[in-house]
Amino acid sequence: MTNFHIRYGAEVAEALRAGHPVVALESTIVSHGLPRPDNLHVARQIERAVRDAGAVPATIGMVGGRLVVGLDDAELTRLATVDGVAKLSVRDLAVAAATGADGATTVAATSAVAAAAGIGVFATGGLGGVHREAAQTFDESADLMTLARTPIAVVCAGVKSILDVGATLERLETLGVGVVGYRTRRFPGFYLTDAGFDLDWSVDSPEQVADVLVAREQHGVHRGGLIVAHPLPVDEQLDPALHDRTLTEGLALLERDGVTGKAVTPYLLAHFHSATQGASLAVNVRIILRNADLAARIAVAAAARRAAA
Ligand code: PSU
Ligand code: MN
């Protein structure tokens, strides 16, 4: 195969051509972040949530070496169910294409591909960030560096609480990634409503986020990403005591099993899902469905701004 151009799902191609709202979705959450068999069902629910709010979902991934924006149901099923799906960051895309791999795109890779495709809004669960032992391991997700140079709005529930949240916020500042709370000035911790850090900015409507995107574009000055931090309501978060216990346990198991690098995040998420008997899974699903809904409303507002311009 020598045609490595991005392939667009028909509906996504048409929506982009017509200027209709489109929301990018990642596939790593499906293949590596959620347990089978729920993952496929949840992947479809995420797309449904985007549609229900008036936008077209564009789930991004790689199938047999072909990068696809807007996976169809058979492709989504393949990435959710076959073994050996690679976890692809930006640096892996070309190698995976040339070797004909099946791959799921992380926040980093999905953001980069979406921006290249002209999609401005992306929904996920929680970003990658600085790992707790980063001072020794240097383990910092490529999500951060990629967002620094990618003009996309990512709706997420902050960064995963398995990370060093304070260090991650410092790195986001250094890298020049915008961070706004959605109706909050506290940075969320994924499973937890509040990770314990203040934010400088808060926005209170999809239209206001759309205005941020318009302002960025019209200025032509800041070309990096914008994180829209969308916390779960307190009564929907994972019980904080259960969370802290599970995390302590998970970090000890990580060390015992010698897990490092890109395996760390999937390992800890899987530990949460099994150790909490599905409670963390239910929370994870609520997070992503809420984010998909908000991202779609932002994409709708942004499309209306463009049409009016
Ligand atoms: N958010 C979730 N579940 C996930 C991830 C994020 O709710 O599985 C994935 C994203 O794809 C993110 C990746 O980019 O975890 C981060 O991995 P790492 O720390 O290895 O960069
Ligand atoms: Mn890492």
Side-chain angles (χ1 to χ4, degrees):
M1 184 171 94
T2 50
N3 178 4
F4 296 116
H5 293 286
I6 294 175
R7 187 157 58 70
Y8 291 82
E11 196 190 359
V12 172
E14 173 54 22
L16 288 172
R17 201 196 51 74
H20 293 155
V22 177
V23 171
L25 299 168
E26 61 154 314
S27 43
T28 293
I29 191 170
V30 178
S31 60
H32 297 80
L34 296 167
R36 296 181 201 167
D38 306 77
N39 61 343
L40 177 58
H41 173 63
V42 175
R44 290 177 176 145
Q45 275 184 296
I46 299 168
E47 294 197 341
R48 165 66 41 206
V50 169
R51 283 185 202 287
D52 287 349
V56 172
T59 306
I60 294 176
M62 184 172 285
V63 181
R66 194 67 181 267
L67 196 50
V68 181
V69 174
L71 295 165
D72 65 25
D73 199 65
E75 294 164 334
L76 197 60
T77 303
R78 176 157 155 181
L79 294 188
T81 55
V82 306
D83 291 328
V85 173
K87 177 176 164 184
L88 304 179
S89 193
V90 183
R91 66 172 186 161
D92 304 307
L93 292 172
V95 183
T99 57
D102 282 344
T105 50
T106 63
V107 168
T110 306
S111 302
V113 174
I119 300 172
V121 186
F122 166 27
T124 185
L127 295 181
V130 179
H131 284 264
R132 285 166 186 251
E133 304 294 317
Q136 281 81 47
T137 62
F138 277 50
D139 189 354
E140 171 183 318
S141 176
D143 292 355
L144 302 188
M145 185 60 118
T146 303
L147 286 177
R149 52 182 176 225
T150 306
I152 192 141
V154 184
V155 180
C156 63
V159 299
K160 285 177 282 271
S161 46
I162 58 178
L163 301 166
D164 184 334
V165 179
T168 302
L169 284 168
E170 292 295 344
R171 288 291 290 150
L172 288 169
E173 180 181 3
T174 306
L175 290 165
V177 179
V179 184
V180 297
Y182 189 78
R183 298 188 175 159
T184 181
R185 279 189 190 254
R186 298 284 286 174
F187 193 61
F190 192 59
Y191 295 131
L192 303 177
T193 301
D194 182 345
F197 296 87
D198 286 324
L199 292 172
D200 291 337
W201 299 100
S202 123
V203 290
D204 32 66
S205 65
E207 290 72 23
Q208 206 168 32
V209 180
D211 283 342
V212 174
L213 301 182
V214 172
R216 182 185 60 187
E217 195 169 324
Q218 291 186 359
H219 290 163
V221 176
H222 176 237
R223 293 186 166 80
L226 176 74
I227 293 173
V228 180
H230 187 213
L232 272 181
V234 175
D235 60 351
E236 291 186 28
Q237 69 177 347
L238 190 62
D239 169 36
L242 174 62
H243 170 272
D244 293 355
R245 261 197 329 270
T246 309
L247 180 57
T248 306
E249 231 170 64
L251 292 171
L253 288 171
L254 199 65
E255 180 145 350
R256 185 199 71 185
D257 293 349
V259 177
T260 58
K262 68 201 271 190
V264 168
T265 298
Y267 182 96
L268 285 174
L269 290 174
H271 170 70
F272 262 89
H273 296 330
S274 62
T276 64
Q277 274 96 46
S280 72
L281 176 61
V283 172
N284 201 335
V285 172
R286 279 202 294 279
I287 289 170
I288 176 89
L289 292 179
R290 284 168 46 87
N291 292 348
D293 171 72
L294 177 57
R297 289 186 290 130
I298 292 168
V300 167
R305 293 282 188 281
R306 278 197 308 274

